[in-house]
Amino acid sequence: MTETNDLPVSARVRAADWTATAAALDVSGWAVLRGLLSAAACDETAALYGDEGIFRSHVQMARHGFGRGAYRYFAYPLPPLVAELRTDLYARLAPLANRWHERTGRAGRFPADHADYLARCHAAGQTRPTPLLLQYGPGDYNCLHRDLYGAEVFPLQVAVLLSAPGDDFTGGEFVLTEQRPRMQSRAAVVPLGKGDAVIFAVNERPVTGSRGDYRVAMRHGVSEIRSGQRHTLGVIFHDAA
């Protein structure tokens, strides 16, 4: 990622090494884009959490057994930065998503343009936007889970850390697990700085074995916050039913 601090979001997305990113996703099921958002953009996005009028729902995780902490789903129209990230990142990830579907024998392919994919979601009854802001305080955590909201599922999603580890909070590591057939689960802790984004598999990813490709189930979550406050922007590309 180019280190110029004043690059707009679309330029930051273009500046990423997408060949290396795709390779990392194929190998591990996740990849990090360093400095996807500037510190100022992170602060402005985190501050949106207090504007209740731009969200469609507010979820207290403990109430549903999801962990501890809270998150809010944006309503349409999305804030410009969130909408731009969703559109630009989808365009880069759709080719990889199509390769994954081909490798795992799944029917259906993803259009190049995100608006066309959203039209397909809406035709299937999935009309509620899924990008969200998450807020954690001391003792909060997010249980391992998958973000599935209907039959239409884009196989990759993105989380952007909006807070600075060590300065704004301690603990709160982003955690991924994978479960391969006939093997015990394997965990990965993804190191992120403020403004970094992690791209990861929503539900499963293809892995090449001795008899060809097979599907590996994946989950993601956040470990316990020890101190401070942590904000994250979640960018999910399919809408919810």
Side-chain angles (χ1 to χ4, degrees):
M1 183 73 66
T2 303
E3 295 296 327
T4 305
N5 290 328
D6 59 355
L7 280 177
V9 170
S10 58
R12 288 171 180 261
V13 172
R14 290 195 302 271
D17 185 341
W18 287 102
T19 300
T21 298
L25 285 163
D26 278 334
V27 169
S28 303
W30 60 272
V32 174
L33 301 182
R34 300 291 178 195
L36 182 63
L37 292 184
S38 67
C42 288
D43 294 342
E44 292 168 7
T45 304
L48 295 175
Y49 195 86
D51 185 355
E52 295 186 5
I54 65 174
F55 298 98
R56 66 171 177 84
S57 68
H58 182 187
V59 178
Q60 292 287 347
M61 286 191 247
R63 186 177 302 165
H64 303 279
F66 298 160
R68 279 185 52 181
Y71 54 87
R72 290 177 168 174
Y73 287 107
F74 288 102
Y76 280 131
L78 299 175
L81 182 143
V82 178
E84 187 175 4
L85 273 178
R86 202 183 191 204
T87 298
D88 291 351
L89 289 169
Y90 173 92
R92 298 289 180 168
L93 294 173
L96 177 62
N98 283 329
R99 292 198 297 274
W100 278 16
H101 263 215
E102 181 178 0
R103 290 177 60 189
T104 55
R106 289 195 173 276
R109 297 295 180 264
F110 299 98
D113 187 80
H114 189 240
D116 292 335
Y117 179 59
L118 284 183
R120 194 164 88 191
C121 289
H122 296 178
Q126 295 176 219
T127 59
R128 297 185 297 162
T130 49
L132 69 162
L133 273 182
L134 302 99
Q135 179 173 276
Y136 303 90
D140 291 347
Y141 61 93
N142 198 344
C143 295
L144 294 169
H145 65 284
R146 302 170 298 169
D147 292 309
L148 306 176
Y149 300 100
E152 279 292 340
V153 177
F154 190 78
L156 294 153
Q157 69 187 76
V158 179
V160 187
L161 183 60
L162 305 177
S163 307
D167 293 329
D168 297 327
F169 70 96
T170 61
E173 293 88 358
F174 185 84
V175 180
L176 285 160
T177 65
E178 66 172 30
Q179 178 61 65
R180 301 193 183 196
R182 298 176 298 280
M183 296 177 65
Q184 294 185 348
S185 296
R186 183 174 72 168
V189 175
V190 180
L192 296 172
K194 182 174 181 176
D196 292 347
V198 55
I199 307 169
F200 56 98
V202 171
N203 180 28
E204 60 186 21
R205 68 182 183 93
V207 171
T208 301
S210 59
R211 299 182 180 180
D213 290 323
Y214 61 94
R215 301 173 186 175
V216 169
M218 298 195 70
R219 304 289 186 275
H220 64 279
V222 173
S223 69
E224 185 175 337
I225 310 297
R226 292 193 291 274
S227 65
Q229 193 171 70
R230 181 190 194 274
H231 286 95
T232 305
L233 170 66
V235 182
I236 300 163
F237 299 101
H238 47 272
D239 276 352

